[in-house]
Amino acid sequence: MAASSPSLSALLKKSTLDDHEQILEACNKALKTSRSDLEAQHVKVVALLKLDRYDEAVKFIESAGDTLQKTADVEYAYALYKTGRLEQAVDLSSKIQSRGARHIEAQARYRLEDSLKTSEVYQRIDHHKSEDYDMRVNQGAIDAQAQWIGVADVKSIRRPGREDLQAFETTYNAACGSIARGEYAQAEVLLKRAKELCKHSEDLTAQQKIDELLPISVQQLYVLLCLGKSSEAEALAAEIKVEEVSDLSTRKVAENNLLLVTSADNPFLAYKAFHTTAKIPPEDRLFSYQNIPLLSNKATLDLRAFKFDGLRSSTTKAQHRPLSLSPDALVSSCSAAAARAGNETGKAAIKKILRILEREPNDIGTILTLVQLYILGGDSTSAVELLESFLKRLEQSVAEHEQEIRFSPLLVSLLISLYKNRGQKAHVKQELAKAAAYWRTQSNPPTSLLKAAGVSLLESQNEEDTASASEIFAKLKQQQPDDKATAAGYVASHATDKSSQLKTDIDKLTPINDLIRDVDVTSIETAGIPQSSNALAIAQLGRTRKRAAPDANGLKAKRVRKSRIPKDYDENKKPDPERWLPMKDRSYYRPPKGKKKAKKGGDTQGGVVNEDLNVDGKPAAPVVSTSGGGKKKKGKGKK
């Protein structure tokens, strides 16, 4: 070892090697003489890393032994990170006391989506002033990731400032944060600015600009699709050249987004294009918030292309697997159930999926699919009964993992939404109370669920419910001491207490004077009862539904509908005073010829009886005609 090391050093000093291939060749020659030459081994590792041959570097370090692993520990950690062995890279780099190891640990934790730890690591790095910009770029990416995976504190979210809009990298990270929050309009503006800054950057070559602009365009395409701007998305898709994307993970995302624009109407073309894309290597794997939508899209395309056999096989493979609420497990289970139903809905589909549930009664994806089919068919009762029976089985389980699944926000919120759909307010309150009772004993409870349970219990007049709400907000106060909603709930739960300790929490709330500062009480009293939106709209148009004021005689003018007025109506002509009497009773009525006018008073039935008539006497004998024999007189006009 002592004889070969100086020879390598002398070789490297005398030569003018600037090619890492040549350096690697020199190291190999030296190692042929002495395999245990530590200096030659170390130089070889560095040369392999410079040549991006990370797999060879890892294999060489691991085959060389512990001595080289301790000497080239930073290089070993970096090689592990570049080959996708992130957990090992974090474990090794966290034990090394150097700035380089801290950067490797932070990058590996970022790839593992451990955003909070990544931010802590960067805060511990004593970086130079020249690294301020790079640190700000990295911190922006960490903040966006934390919002995507849902671990960011709402109050810690930093909105983009002026310094973030000076360079395309920070502007791009700010746009990603807006996308994570669902603020697509703002993201569209930020992405356009990032593009302009990248195009006019003086620090990038022409090829580097192309490499940087492609990811921005891919993200912009996604935003346009979310905003429903189809025409702009199609124009942008025509500009994106996927073959120029060097990063395979970015290329996969780009191809997926382009499918929504180009082949959305033809499921078979979309299926073919999706499955012919290049596979992503393990070291360049997607983040979970990228991979889960791709898995869902793959299952959707399989269903649309009637590829049921492959999805059904996943049901057989998943039998007797442990319960899980992981997104990939739910996507696989739900798509398998849909494949079993053959893309059908209604009772026929429910009957087919129930066969799967008989074999796997606790398959969460199958249960969720059945609940959706029941709701689509209008059978909310069966949906509630199915979910309640499943949750009851989990409650009776002694496994802590199944208890956590039972009171997970996903299942609790689903059951509450079903109860609300059926108007079962008491059941909503009971479910929230049960969930709160469980999570109060856990170390890291979901704050949103506890807040909802606390608010629900505060609405009750029961002292026990108020005491439970007080305990809930007390626990939330420990987790979120500066949260105004938590402080308000804590104060409300102690409204009957006269304790000076509440003053600290009351001071956190917005004062009442600030809340009503812009309220004009006088104008509210003058306005009186609020009018409906319809009445306000009529008032704005200058019309009103009120009747006109009384005239000089005290009579109100009555408005007559146009449909009630006759066609030949003349307002200057005096109306007939007898128009309300039947025509035969009017004074000017003249019956047609051959008809007698009805006598005034009508028939005797129901009228005044003439006493001169002998009503009670016998009828007179009939009068016999004497003229003309027995022939009848011919009718008028007859011959």
Side-chain angles (χ1 to χ4, degrees), residues 462-478:
N462 192 345
E463 294 182 358
E464 295 181 359
D465 294 340
T466 305
S468 300
S470 176
E471 295 178 5
I472 291 173
F473 285 110
K475 186 174 183 62
L476 288 172
K477 185 180 175 183
Q478 298 175 358

Side-chain angles (χ1 to χ4, degrees), residues 300-353:
T300 302
L301 289 172
D302 288 346
L303 290 172
R304 292 183 63 190
F306 305 103
K307 303 290 183 178
F308 300 140
D309 293 338
L311 293 172
R312 289 172 184 169
S313 63
S314 62
T315 307
T316 306
K317 296 178 182 178
Q319 286 184 0
H320 307 294
R321 64 185 176 188
L323 291 180
S324 176
L325 284 175
S326 62
D328 53 346
L330 291 179
V331 168
S332 176
S333 181
C334 292
S335 58
R340 181 68 61 179
N343 285 347
E344 296 179 0
T345 57
K347 295 183 179 179
I350 293 174
K351 187 176 181 180
K352 294 178 181 178
I353 298 177

